[in-house]
Amino acid sequence: MAMAIQDKMAARARARWLAAKAGSDARETSALLLFDTIAAVGFAAGIAGAIAAGSMQAWPYMVLAAGSGAARGLFARAAARKGAADAARAKIRLRCDVVAAALRRPAAATLTTGALMSAAIDEVEALDGFVARFAPARKAAAIAPVLVLVAIAFASPLSAAILIATLVPFILAMALAGGAAADQSRRQFTALARLTGHFADRVRALPVVLAFRAEARETVVLAAAANELAERTMRVLRVAFLSSGALEFFAALSVALVAVYCGFNLLGLLPFPVPEQLTLWQAFFVLALAPEFYGPLRRLAAAYHDKQAAETAADRLAALPAPAAAPAMAPRTAPPRLRFADVAIRYAGEDADVITGFSLDIAPGATVALLGPSGSGKTSLLHMLLGLAPLTGGQVLIDDDPLGAEGSVAPLAAWAGQHPLIIAGTIRDNLRLARANANAQDLAQVIQSTGLGPMLAHRPQGLDTQVDSRGGRLSGGERRRIALARALLTSAPLLLLDEPTAHLDSAAEAALIATIHTARRGRTTLIATHSERLAAIADHVVRLGGCA
Amino acid sequence: MTLDQLIARERRAQRRRLRQAALFAALVAAASVLLLGLSGWFITAAALAGASGIAAAQAFNYMLPSAGIRLLAIVRTGARYGERLASHAAAFGALAHIRPALFAAIAAAPADRALALGTGEATARLIGDVDAIETRFVRLSGPWGVAAALASGAVLTLLGGIGPALVTMACAAAVLILCYGLARRMEAAGAAVQRSEGALREQFSMLVDAAPELRCFGLEPWAAERIDAHSRTFAAARLRHAKAASGVEWVHATGIGVAASGALALALPAGAAIAALAALAAAMTIDALGPMVRAMTERGRTAEAQARLDALLTLAQPVADPPSGVNAGASIDFSHPWGARLDAGDRAALVGPSGAGKTTLVERLIGLRPCLPGVIAIGGTDVARLSPDALRGHFAWAPQDALLIAGSVRDNLLLARADASEADLWAALTDAALTDRIHALGGLDIWIGENGARLSGGERRRLSLARAYVADAPWLLLDEPTEGLDAATEAQVVSRLGARLDRTGQGLLLVSHRPGALALCDKRLDIAAGSAGAALAA
């Protein structure tokens, strides 16, 4: 009982979500579908009239039939176009939300890029059928059968009554078929997401897969995931085909019932008295139109898997973590004072804090080096400032503004991390990420001060050298220098550096330390490092882990 | 192997289901035409009999036609179910084989080409493009249905004379030709759908992977905008395609109307009952073209998907030599730039300023980059002539970026050697000074997230090192294994590595700037900036 209520509430929440996100205002499309039904009445009247009229007088009816057929085509075409346009708009809007959630996902979220990609593309695309077909079909299904029924009642009220009577079992069959498929559809999506995620990960990790000669083994694992997807898809389709088969069968039976009635009425052989005597025109009209009575419902049933796919996708999309709030920190130019008071950081699902009871006061413009064994939380502290790791205890004050649980100093900070982002494009594009309007002089300056000069001189195209998104053709040290160059391109008053001199030989390290020494002027600087030489330029050295 | 060959193979594998689907499709089409034709005739004939008086009505045989109608209705419903099930089962069965074959093709491609494929691009091909060629299987039964409909339609309309039959066939031909023309014109739109989807996936995975850094630079709106631009291009392409496809619906519906009225007009001289039969049979004949003309609208998407998949499949290069076994005593000879030789069990450091090409040289050694002939030889055989597989068997690699797979600690370690024992794994973790941390996490089966997201930078590095220890190769190839480790951990890792080398007799080729690690090595290979890098570059 409680379960049923819960299910019902979940279904209502999902319907609300779909209505809000998919913007299923399908009025125009469903109106076009209603016109299609009206044209169907015209087609039936034309065919029936032509047959009843005999040879010579038949031509106006034939024109009516052919014209109605063409009109149906036009309305169907217009409905498809309008539905597709609505779907395109809804998908663009929804994908924007998913992208925002993916880019601003909370720190250490368990979602892989593959799973997020599946959400942003496959699951958003799953709403296509819902918006383009199902929602208009559902609106039309409430009205179109009534139109057909009225037209049939004009010709034969009893036939109309028979159709109404058969509607009840038809709708029952539809509801039963729909429920059974929903669960299967959910599992199919899970299998698709798993396959996508698995594949994306193994392509990303291809270098190690190849180096350890594991490609054959990984192919076998992938084959198992692909097989699972095929099986799940077939299970969904078996239910879907069976239910649409049942509906088709029901519709055929109902039409046959009307046909038998019409036939016997025409023959005058009905075993009971009826208040109407049909003419050939009336009987043929009723018979030609009877399938159209179920047409809108069958169209709805055919779009039913669109609804299920959309609902499954809706459940998965609604479960995406809400994008972390945009940092509200007001930008400033003066170097800020940074105070940590009893700060604790613990990642979701971990048993212990990474950092606990950490207190530190950094004066405006001061440089602090964080030293400590790996795993002692140096990077976590920097990530916490940027809103990438959760602040689970204590307080951080920037000047006098507290950093909220979801807050970030990103608007004031320049950053060089351990895994610099390299985008596909030229080296210039990569540098300009930090400041889109940086001119040649700005670039030349940071290139000089980060020691990127020699490596650009080696490359015939210099700054215009193309790199791919894996950062191919760049060494680890070059990537670090690009990250540092980017940090220096911004005029942010807070400088956060995560192991800026890793991967460098001692000569290059010395050169870079000199650069950092200059760059930190006028900025509050926090450096996580293992290098004692780099730490030596700091005003304070804080040792984490064992000594903290 | 090209995609066509792959599809041909799958068609052979699925031929039983495909034959079933074709048979059922023909049954559906023929039953539809006969059902409607018979119903029209039945009603009209009953009306005529009823109008001719009670005697004629009594004499009218209603049993046989009405039984026929019921039978045809059941056959049509059952056959439609059978056709859908068989054709989709064939399609999905085939796709489940094609996907792994594609992954294998990527893995067998020259490493530099395979690695240049972005994750998003590769995923788009494996998922999106393979889905698009699904229609090549599902629609295979289409022509059989059309043939059956045309045959039964011709027979029924001929009852009304040659005129109705000719009109029906002419309408069918017109619909097919017009839809084919429309489909040809929308091929570009279909191809654009596949292309823009791939571009969207690529852009998404590139930028979402870098979400932390984007936040730091305040570049999230920029990234969202970039993805949104691709999202809009993709949506616009789909919309253009859907609009073009709706034209086919219009041609089809108009064809039904024209065929029905035309056949009716020409069959009227044969009597109202036959006219009704011809009209409805004509309408259903054209109706049965539906699946085939709708499949035409997918031509562009399918062709583009196939071209993209073919590009992937043809990357795979046939293995030139039969895989030669791993020679445990293999030496490494460098002819360029030093003329140095490393004997089995040697411990050598590869040093040089950053950017001089140390990592590049390492990647050449394990066949992730092509190597020119006459530069490096292993066990006396030129690396350029060794198959990547044979080459890789000689090295256990810990890459500079400590790349991990999404999965558990165990998954990552077993990647190096699938049959490693529990004891091997723990021994490797101990030597990488990681046992305590893995215990604290909860053991070998703990999920460590994408690329070890739940581990710190130093822990990822040590897990990658432990993975190299698990592999059974004569040479350890360690690229900055102690970078990012504190002095105490580094000292522990280095001393255990030394003990391990003494125990296993493996050779070591180490890239590092750290004096602690370099102390393990008795040989030094110095890549001088410039000349050496240039000489090694292909």
Side-chain angles (χ1 to χ4, degrees):
Chain A
M1 190 64 196
M3 282 281 280
I5 293 173
Q6 238 170 25
D7 277 359
K8 215 167 262 178
M9 279 171 61
R12 211 166 294 155
R14 188 192 301 132
R16 263 202 305 277
W17 189 92
L18 271 175
K21 296 293 180 179
S24 49
D25 174 34
R27 244 170 303 176
E28 279 178 57
T29 318
S30 55
L32 287 166
L33 292 177
L34 289 183
F35 283 123
D36 174 63
T37 299
I38 293 170
V41 174
F43 184 71
I47 291 281
I51 285 171
S55 52
M56 278 308 100
Q57 300 82 8
W59 70 267
Y61 290 107
M62 288 173 194
V63 172
L64 176 62
S68 300
R72 290 196 76 171
L74 276 180
F75 290 132
R77 173 169 174 264
R81 293 170 78 107
K82 183 76 182 69
D86 287 345
R89 264 196 306 281
K91 285 186 294 179
I92 289 173
R93 215 166 38 226
L94 184 59
R95 194 170 289 129
C96 257
D97 293 350
V98 177
V99 168
L103 288 174
R104 296 182 176 279
R105 63 184 185 266
T110 49
L111 290 161
T112 62
T113 303
L116 285 167
M117 178 144 64
S118 182
I121 295 162
D122 303 309
E123 283 157 30
V124 168
E125 285 303 312
L127 294 188
D128 187 272
F130 180 82
V131 179
R133 289 182 292 273
F134 181 80
R138 184 167 54 188
K139 278 216 163 80
I143 306 170
V146 181
L147 291 179
V148 173
L149 212 56
V150 168
I152 286 179
F154 269 112
S156 162
L158 260 177
S159 298
I162 292 174
L163 286 177
I164 292 176
T166 60
L167 195 58
V168 178
F170 185 86
I171 287 176
L172 275 178
M174 229 168 97
L176 280 177
D183 188 42
Q184 295 288 354
S185 166
R186 241 186 304 284
R187 281 193 224 139
Q188 185 210 0
F189 260 88
T190 315
L192 178 62
R194 192 174 307 153
L195 179 66
T196 312
H198 193 100
F199 184 67
D201 183 72
R202 293 310 187 264
V203 171
R204 185 186 56 75
L206 195 57
V208 290
V209 170
L210 290 176
F212 290 112
R213 302 191 291 171
E215 52 267 45
R217 275 178 280 144
E218 288 302 322
T219 305
V220 170
V221 176
L222 197 71
N227 261 326
E228 190 193 342
L229 178 64
E231 270 168 33
R232 291 215 186 285
T233 310
M234 275 319 293
R235 246 174 268 163
V236 174
L237 290 180
R238 198 167 290 138
V239 177
F241 294 159
L242 198 61
S243 54
S244 67
L247 294 184
E248 200 171 302
F249 188 65
F250 247 109
L253 267 189
S254 307
V255 174
L257 203 58
V258 173
V260 168
Y261 163 73
C262 288
F264 280 78
N265 185 307
L266 288 171
L267 286 169
L269 292 180
L270 283 172
F272 45 87
V274 286
E276 60 180 8
Q277 175 58 50
L278 299 179
T279 62
L280 174 57
W281 184 88
Q282 285 168 326
F284 211 98
F285 176 70
V286 166
L287 208 67
L289 204 50
E292 289 301 323
F293 178 67
Y294 299 101
L297 291 171
R298 285 175 56 192
R299 192 149 47 195
L300 186 64
Y304 211 83
H305 75 266
D306 287 330
K307 174 179 178 254
Q308 279 155 2
E311 283 183 344
T312 311
D315 285 346
R316 298 176 65 91
L317 288 173
L320 281 181
M329 197 71 45
R332 59 194 92 190
T333 47
R337 175 180 182 187
L338 225 54
R339 274 176 293 176
F340 297 82
D342 207 20
V343 161
I345 299 174
R346 179 186 297 196
Y347 290 102
E350 293 284 327
D351 299 332
D353 292 340
V354 186
I355 287 270
T356 190
F358 177 80
S359 297
L360 179 66
D361 190 343
I362 308 176
T367 301
V368 168
L370 298 169
L371 260 77
S374 48
S376 61
K378 302 181 298 292
T379 302
S380 292
L381 262 181
L382 298 185
H383 275 180
M384 183 270 294
L385 285 176
L386 292 159
L388 297 169
L391 174 61
T392 42
Q395 204 183 21
V396 176
L397 291 171
I398 291 95
D399 291 332
D400 292 314
D401 307 330
L403 183 75
E406 297 273 302
S408 164
V409 300
L412 341 172
W415 158 270
Q418 285 195 39
H419 300 282
L421 160 71
I422 301 293
I423 60 164
T426 63
I427 294 178
R428 180 185 285 110
D429 295 337
N430 272 286
L431 291 175
R432 276 198 178 153
L433 279 181
R435 207 173 94 213
N437 60 359
N439 60 29
Q441 199 187 345
D442 300 331
L443 291 179
Q445 202 174 351
V446 296
I447 287 167
Q448 208 260 325
S449 59
T450 51
L452 276 170
M455 107 180 229
L456 290 173
H458 276 306
R459 292 172 163 85
Q461 279 154 320
L463 269 177
D464 291 314
T465 304
Q466 291 283 338
V467 290
D468 61 48
S469 58
R470 281 179 196 264
R473 293 194 261 169
L474 292 175
S475 74
E478 287 165 350
R479 282 183 237 186
R480 291 297 162 106
R481 285 182 218 251
I482 286 179
L484 191 61
R486 284 203 290 235
L488 298 188
L489 264 182
T490 69
S491 52
L494 181 60
L495 189 58
L496 304 177
L497 306 175
D498 195 2
E499 305 202 22
T501 59
H503 299 295
L504 299 178
D505 56 277
S506 58
E509 183 182 18
L512 210 63
I513 288 174
T515 306
I516 294 169
H517 195 54
T518 331
R520 67 176 179 152
R521 273 186 209 137
R523 306 181 194 220
T524 308
T525 306
L526 202 49
I527 309 172
T529 186
H530 285 291
S531 159
E532 296 284 349
R533 288 166 75 192
L534 176 56
I537 67 163
D539 303 314
H540 298 286
V541 174
V542 176
R543 291 184 193 274
L544 293 171
C547 317
Chain B
M1 187 180 276
T2 66
L3 188 66
D4 274 324
Q5 288 166 323
L6 204 56
I7 287 177
R9 196 183 76 189
E10 288 308 316
R11 277 174 71 161
R12 274 197 302 282
Q14 303 286 345
R15 63 176 174 273
R16 199 174 53 84
R17 283 166 170 166
L18 289 172
R19 266 205 298 264
Q20 274 174 6
L23 180 70
F24 282 132
L27 261 180
V28 169
S32 294
V33 174
L34 292 173
L35 176 64
L36 268 282
L38 188 56
S39 308
W41 175 84
F42 176 62
I43 284 296
T44 315
L48 296 178
S52 333
I54 192 77
Q58 297 279 359
F60 184 71
N61 181 353
Y62 54 81
M63 290 301 286
L64 208 56
S66 61
I69 288 174
R70 275 196 300 275
L71 177 69
L72 286 168
I74 292 170
V75 167
R76 182 173 71 166
T77 311
R80 188 164 284 164
Y81 174 73
E83 188 225 339
R84 285 173 171 170
L85 207 60
S87 61
H88 282 86
F92 290 118
L95 299 196
H97 292 141
I98 290 178
R99 289 200 165 103
L102 282 167
F103 179 76
I106 295 177
D112 54 334
R113 301 283 301 279
L115 299 185
L117 277 176
T119 310
E121 181 61 27
T123 314
R125 293 189 188 192
L126 196 91
I127 305 294
D129 289 340
V130 172
D131 273 344
I133 61 163
E134 172 200 325
T135 53
R136 283 200 49 174
F137 288 91
V138 175
R139 309 292 192 195
L140 278 175
S141 54
W144 296 94
V146 169
L150 290 178
S152 44
V155 169
L156 289 195
T157 47
L158 266 177
L159 293 176
I162 192 81
L166 282 179
V167 163
T168 307
M169 295 304 126
C171 276
V175 166
L176 285 176
I177 291 168
L178 279 175
C179 288
Y180 182 77
L182 280 174
R184 283 297 295 268
R185 277 175 47 197
M186 59 191 280
E187 265 173 28
V193 170
Q194 290 307 108
R195 266 199 309 274
S196 56
E197 183 183 341
L200 173 61
R201 280 185 198 268
E202 172 77 331
Q203 197 66 216
F204 185 90
S205 97
M206 178 180 100
L207 290 171
V208 169
D209 263 343
E213 263 177 294
L214 293 171
R215 183 171 311 177
C216 307
F217 280 117
L219 283 174
E220 281 157 335
W222 167 84
E225 228 166 81
R226 255 178 97 131
I227 299 175
D228 187 50
H230 279 85
S231 164
R232 281 169 194 279
T233 313
F234 175 44
R238 277 206 63 158
L239 183 58
R240 246 194 330 277
H241 186 259
K243 283 186 169 173
S246 68
V248 166
E249 296 293 327
W250 181 61
V251 169
H252 186 222
T254 308
I256 294 175
V258 171
S261 0
L264 177 56
L266 293 173
L268 271 178
I274 292 295
L277 179 147
L280 292 186
M284 292 319 288
T285 305
I286 309 297
D287 187 63
L289 305 180
M292 197 166 157
V293 296
R294 272 173 217 127
M296 287 178 185
T297 64
E298 297 294 324
R299 278 172 57 101
R301 285 188 72 172
T302 317
E304 174 69 16
Q306 183 164 351
R308 287 153 49 96
L309 290 174
D310 259 337
L312 210 59
L313 281 166
T314 48
L315 276 182
Q317 53 183 10
V319 182
D321 300 313
S324 47
V326 172
N327 172 5
S331 58
I332 310 175
D333 290 288
F334 296 91
S335 322
H336 258 299
W338 319 281
R341 153 172 274 218
L342 299 180
D343 290 311
D346 272 357
R347 299 170 189 182
L350 192 57
V351 296
S354 37
K358 300 185 294 291
T359 296
T360 307
L361 177 62
V362 166
E363 289 177 358
R364 281 186 213 289
L365 272 178
I366 47 167
L368 292 181
R369 284 168 189 262
C371 190
L372 286 178
V375 177
I376 310 170
I378 290 180
T381 313
D382 194 317
V383 162
R385 285 187 30 235
L386 272 174
S387 73
D389 195 66
L391 196 54
R392 288 166 191 156
H394 288 90
F395 299 101
W397 180 47
Q400 189 189 47
D401 55 4
L403 200 53
L404 300 175
I405 60 172
S408 63
V409 174
R410 187 192 300 280
D411 292 339
N412 271 284
L413 293 177
L414 288 185
L415 188 73
R417 182 156 60 89
D419 59 356
S421 70
E422 190 87 3
D424 292 340
L425 303 188
W426 283 110
L429 288 172
T430 307
D431 284 351
L434 205 55
T435 338
D436 293 346
R437 178 64 181 144
I438 301 298
H439 274 307
L441 271 175
L444 290 176
D445 292 311
I446 288 300
W447 174 264
I448 54 167
E450 190 168 2
N451 203 13
R454 291 186 59 190
L455 304 177
S456 80
E459 287 159 2
R460 272 204 292 276
R461 193 161 290 282
R462 280 178 283 156
L463 182 54
S464 159
L465 182 63
R467 182 174 57 194
Y469 289 165
V470 170
D472 232 353
W475 289 92
L476 275 175
L477 199 51
L478 309 181
D479 198 345
E480 310 209 26
T482 61
E483 199 65 48
L485 304 188
D486 57 280
T489 313
E490 180 180 20
Q492 203 173 30
V493 167
V494 168
S495 79
R496 290 181 187 175
L497 170 58
R500 188 176 185 92
L501 291 174
D502 292 339
R503 201 165 62 240
T504 62
Q506 283 171 300
L508 170 69
L509 193 54
L510 176 78
V511 178
S512 186
H513 298 296
R514 321 259 303 191
L518 292 175
L520 274 177
C521 303
D522 40 30
K523 284 192 179 175
R524 233 164 224 256
L525 304 175
D526 195 344
I527 295 196
S531 62
L536 281 166

